[in-house]
Amino acid sequence: MKHMAVYLLCVLGGKENPTKDDIAAAMGAVGLETDDARLTALLEALEGKELGELLESGKELLAKIGGGGGGGGGGGGGGGDAPEEEKEEEKEEEEEMDLGGGMDMFGGDDAGGGDFK
């Protein structure tokens, strides 16, 4: 299968009829080993055939086999009568930070509240 994949990549890369050496070089470039017997058998099977025709005939064969359907829809919900319990979130109490007086957001005195009395 990997030999066929590399053959197709070579064709997509511009080699109309990739040779054994082309395929072996491409496989070697990515660290794959070439099985000489399988590569020879693949090239003999593809010799004199146009790739477009091969792909089209392959599609026809796949159509005969079928794809197995869509797998059906997902199952419905559990329909149980028990209400789902709500999880109560624990609220973290924020610690008030004492800024040491002297800092009032509204520019008032240390008593706070600014100009509002």
Side-chain angles (χ1 to χ4, degrees), residues 4-16 18-19 22-24 26:
M4 184 63 187
V6 174
Y7 178 89
L8 292 171
L9 287 172
C10 288
V11 171
L12 287 173
K15 291 271 187 185
E16 190 172 322
T19 64
D22 293 332
I23 295 170

Side-chain angles (χ1 to χ4, degrees), residues 3 19-21 23 34-47:
H3 296 92
T19 64
K20 188 175 181 179
D21 290 335
I23 295 170
T34 306
D35 182 345
D36 209 34
R38 287 188 179 188
L39 181 55
T40 301
L42 173 71
L43 291 175
E44 286 174 0
L46 295 175
E47 190 174 341

Side-chain angles (χ1 to χ4, degrees), residues 31-100:
L32 295 174
E33 292 183 20
T34 306
D35 182 345
D36 209 34
R38 287 188 179 188
L39 181 55
T40 301
L42 173 71
L43 291 175
E44 286 174 0
L46 295 175
E47 190 174 341
K49 297 181 181 173
E50 188 179 321
L51 184 61
E53 292 174 9
L54 289 172
L55 293 174
E56 196 60 41
S57 67
K59 268 198 236 182
E60 291 173 11
L61 289 174
L62 287 175
K64 290 178 184 176
I65 294 172
D81 294 336
E84 188 174 316
E85 293 182 29
E86 294 182 22
K87 294 181 181 178
E88 293 182 26
E89 293 182 22
E90 294 181 24
K91 294 183 180 178
E92 292 184 26
E93 292 183 24
E94 294 183 23
E95 295 181 21
E96 291 186 23
M97 193 166 51
D98 183 18
L99 297 176

